[in-house]
Amino acid sequence: MSVNGQSRSTARILALANQKGGVGKTTTAINLGTGLAQAGKKCVIIDLDPQGNASTGLGFRTEDRLQTTYDALGGSTPLVQVLSPTTIEGLSIAPASVDLSGIDVELVDDPQRARKLKTLIDDPAGQMTSRFDYILIDCPPSLNLLTINAMAAADGILVPLQCEFFALEGLTQLIGTVQRVQGALNPGLRISGIILTMYDQRNRLSSQVADDVRENLGDIVFSTLIPRNVRLSEAPSFGLPVMAYDADCAGSLAYKALTKELLSRDSETLAA
Ligand code: ATP
Ligand code: MG
């Protein structure tokens, strides 16, 4: 968007982060991104994980990823040139490749290394922020330079928590990292929400963990529970978001509800 010839930031930038592996960061990035696109929001997923699961899960084979987030962070390609449309209308992706695992070593002498992604997103022509309503960043399972870059660029962090016994383990460390990023790089950063994932209603532990998390963390926890649902785990092997794979399954309905809840929270935030 251009106001008096100046580009204006409109995108809401949210990072899916939790240094615990396998908690649903990528599944949430793909399916929340799809939900937002289906709700008419222009959305891009920035795959910041060298595993490239968000890219694979959206149907991008390794050999199809000609330009990736590695090229953008390394400085050889503007981020907009890395973007590809997906099969979902309104949803784009900046794919990742395994090269990204070496980026922290490559940037070690660069004093601006923690602000690389922010600089790319805030490009002077406003091509990223004006083109999208939502920018979702899928982080790796680590509090490394890539996750710090995501936190430095984001307005908010969404934290998926798996409904299992050690759900809250590591959260103190994650919150500590968010606070350090707030202090040094991004004062406006917030934890925007906690998303309970892989909820199993037949398992009493799942509901105990969900209650415990709500008691400890309050309103920040989304009301929507993402159930454990086999369709959610099958969809990525077909390169599809679950809503395109099986629109009526419990996983699809849950991610649609989560999208609605996020949009309603964000409209309240903007109105406040
Ligand atoms: P990593 O830390 O490795 O990046 P992650 O936090 O991104 O992992 P996912 O890849 O989204 O986690 O999920 C881990 C595995 O669990 C995947 O195989 C995924 O398909 C499966 N999975 C995620 N959410 C659900 C769910 N609600 N029900 C069933 N399976 C799920
Ligand atoms: Mg992942």
Side-chain angles (χ1 to χ4, degrees):
M1 188 179 294
S2 181
V3 177
N4 298 332
Q6 298 223 311
S7 63
R8 184 153 73 84
S9 169
T10 53
R12 180 142 173 80
I13 308 169
L14 298 171
L16 278 300
N18 186 339
Q19 75 274 24
K20 263 182 99 131
V23 296
K25 295 181 287 294
T26 302
T27 304
T28 302
I30 291 175
N31 294 302
L32 190 57
T34 301
L36 288 165
Q38 290 181 340
K41 304 289 178 189
K42 293 261 175 285
C43 187
V44 60
I45 296 174
I46 298 184
D47 191 347
L48 219 58
D49 183 352
Q51 299 180 101
N53 294 341
S55 313
T56 316
L58 283 165
F60 288 80
R61 295 174 308 170
T62 316
E63 56 270 33
D64 297 334
R65 299 175 208 164
L66 301 178
Q67 289 189 306
T68 66
T69 47
Y70 168 77
D71 302 301
L73 288 172
S76 66
T77 312
L79 189 53
V80 277
Q81 282 182 26
V82 170
L83 305 184
S84 286
T86 70
T87 53
I88 305 298
E89 198 189 334
L91 179 66
S92 300
I93 183 158
S97 68
V98 71
D99 302 329
L100 199 54
S101 57
I103 197 84
D104 45 354
V105 177
E106 286 180 38
L107 294 178
V108 73
D109 293 327
D110 185 335
Q112 294 300 317
R113 61 188 172 279
R115 297 180 203 266
K116 288 280 161 194
L117 184 62
K118 181 169 174 47
T119 309
L120 287 166
I121 291 177
D122 287 349
D123 84 283
Q127 289 195 61
M128 286 299 296
T129 48
S130 60
R131 207 163 135 180
F132 296 104
D133 300 304
Y134 279 88
I135 298 177
L136 301 181
I137 309 169
D138 188 26
C139 292
S142 158
L143 294 173
N144 62 8
L145 181 64
L146 289 165
T147 301
I148 301 296
N149 262 273
M151 289 184 180
D155 303 310
I157 312 280
L158 296 175
V159 186
L161 281 189
Q162 198 177 337
C163 292
E164 44 122 273
F165 186 63
F166 294 113
L168 289 168
E169 196 190 54
L171 205 59
T172 313
Q173 208 188 352
L174 179 67
I175 291 168
T177 305
V178 170
Q179 285 168 344
R180 276 196 296 282
V181 173
Q182 279 169 334
L185 296 160
N186 183 4
L189 182 65
R190 296 283 170 270
I191 295 190
S192 299
I194 309 275
I195 302 164
L196 292 167
T197 64
M198 299 188 219
Y199 180 80
D200 183 352
Q201 60 182 5
R202 292 161 307 179
N203 181 340
R204 213 153 52 91
L205 181 63
S206 245
S207 62
Q208 278 169 4
V209 169
D211 291 347
D212 194 28
V213 169
R214 288 192 199 288
E215 203 169 294
N216 277 284
L217 300 169
D219 284 350
I220 197 172
V221 185
F222 281 89
S223 314
T224 307
L225 284 167
I226 307 298
R228 189 173 280 284
N229 176 244
V230 71
R231 304 305 247 176
L232 276 169
S233 55
E234 288 167 359
S237 62
F238 294 90
L240 291 173
V242 75
M243 287 92 141
Y245 176 62
D246 182 348
D248 299 320
C249 72
S252 291
L253 300 180
Y255 274 107
K256 278 182 206 159
L258 183 70
T259 304
K260 217 169 149 190
E261 197 179 350
L262 177 75
L263 286 170
S264 125
R265 279 189 182 197
D266 284 355
S267 63
E268 277 166 29
T269 311
L270 289 175

